[in-house]
Amino acid sequence: NAGVTQTPKFQVLKTGQSMTLQCAQDMNHEYMSWYRQDPGMGLRLIHYSVGAGITDQGEVPNGYNVSRSTTEDFPLRLLSAAPSQTSVYFCASSYSAASAVYEQYFGPGTRLTVT
Amino acid sequence: GQQLNQSPQSMFIQEGEDVSMNCTSSSIFNTWLWYKQDPGEGPVLLIALYKAGELTSNGRLTAQFGITRKDSFLNISASIPSDVGIYFCAGLIEGAQKLVFGQGTRLTINP
């Protein structure tokens, strides 16, 4: 198994541009989530999904959209990039919503810079 | 939203020393987790705690779920160079489907 994969690993955007961060897992996990990591802030939840077709907002959802059309994929879309979205983004997955919080596997991260 | 206060924010120790760090909250949690993050990598789960008072070990790591359910502690004994990294606590409030993370403790070890 590849586990949780994220692409791209690095990205530079100009303010106002849009893009999609890709996340995929091959472990048949029901629960998937997106976090952003900023210095001194820990990991903050952006959006999460408890299964295909179901998504919900986390702590910092503004400026981001998600969809979950398949079990495997959970892309994160930046609608109009802003410098405040400069961060490292992590995708994570888990077997089911009930076990989401203690068996979360994290991807390697995407480092995004918005100029 | 819920807040987890993790301390210390950073630690500079000598190889072989023991390490202690903790997380506290004003909210009650029914699960506590400890993760480690190496540079350029995603967090990796170290220890999971599910009951108040629970004490769990993973090699040289020991973590405890506080009796009040508002705090947790992680201890590392006889530190070695590969222990360097950022350690995060995370908690789950009963009925929630979202983890709340602490700000992290950055551990640096002098050989």
Side-chain angles (χ1 to χ4, degrees):
Chain A
N1 287 349
V4 180
T5 58
Q6 291 183 237
T7 56
K9 193 161 180 64
F10 301 94
Q11 182 70 51
V12 178
L13 292 177
K14 295 186 187 300
T15 297
Q17 287 184 318
S18 62
M19 79 158 295
T20 300
L21 279 63
Q22 301 293 342
C23 174
Q25 50 88 12
D26 61 357
M27 299 174 281
N28 202 30
H29 286 175
E30 295 175 1
Y31 185 97
M32 297 186 73
S33 54
W34 276 101
Y35 295 86
R36 60 177 289 174
Q37 183 176 30
D38 303 294
M41 301 288 288
L43 289 144
R44 293 183 293 169
L45 184 65
I46 304 172
H47 285 286
Y48 67 100
S49 168
V50 300
I54 306 169
T55 63
D56 207 345
Q57 295 182 349
E59 183 184 356
V60 288
N62 292 340
Y64 308 95
N65 274 358
V66 292
S67 60
R68 185 91 180 272
S69 56
T70 67
T71 299
E72 294 78 19
D73 301 299
F74 191 43
L76 178 72
R77 280 182 287 277
L78 279 69
L79 308 174
S80 177
S84 61
Q85 294 179 303
T86 294
S87 187
V88 181
Y89 291 84
F90 288 101
C91 179
S93 74
S94 171
Y95 285 106
S96 70
S99 67
V101 294
Y102 60 86
E103 291 180 355
Q104 275 199 67
Y105 296 84
F106 282 82
T110 294
R111 186 174 296 274
L112 175 69
T113 301
V114 183
T115 61
Chain B
Q2 291 80 25
Q3 295 271 340
L4 282 183
N5 297 310
Q6 185 171 349
S7 64
Q9 291 187 9
S10 59
M11 302 183 72
F12 299 86
I13 64 170
Q14 298 293 119
E15 184 177 350
E17 289 184 11
D18 297 342
V19 172
S20 292
M21 60 190 78
N22 70 83
C23 277
T24 62
S25 175
S26 57
S27 301
I28 293 176
F29 290 86
N30 69 347
T31 298
W32 283 97
L33 309 168
W34 286 92
Y35 285 85
K36 183 192 178 207
Q37 185 179 26
D38 291 324
E41 304 289 332
V44 174
L45 183 65
L46 299 173
I47 292 179
L49 303 160
Y50 307 112
K51 295 180 182 178
E54 180 179 356
L55 186 71
T56 298
S57 293
N58 178 4
R60 293 177 295 104
L61 278 62
T62 301
Q64 184 163 24
F65 193 140
I67 291 292
T68 65
R69 297 173 64 191
K70 294 183 178 181
D71 56 9
S72 180
F73 305 86
L74 176 69
N75 295 319
I76 305 172
S77 63
S79 59
I80 60 177
S82 62
D83 291 334
V84 166
I86 303 176
Y87 292 80
F88 290 99
C89 64
L92 174 70
I93 297 175
E94 188 170 6
Q97 293 177 320
K98 299 176 280 189
L99 276 179
V100 179
F101 279 82
Q103 304 96 321
T105 295
R106 183 180 296 273
L107 179 63
T108 302
I109 298 176
N110 299 317

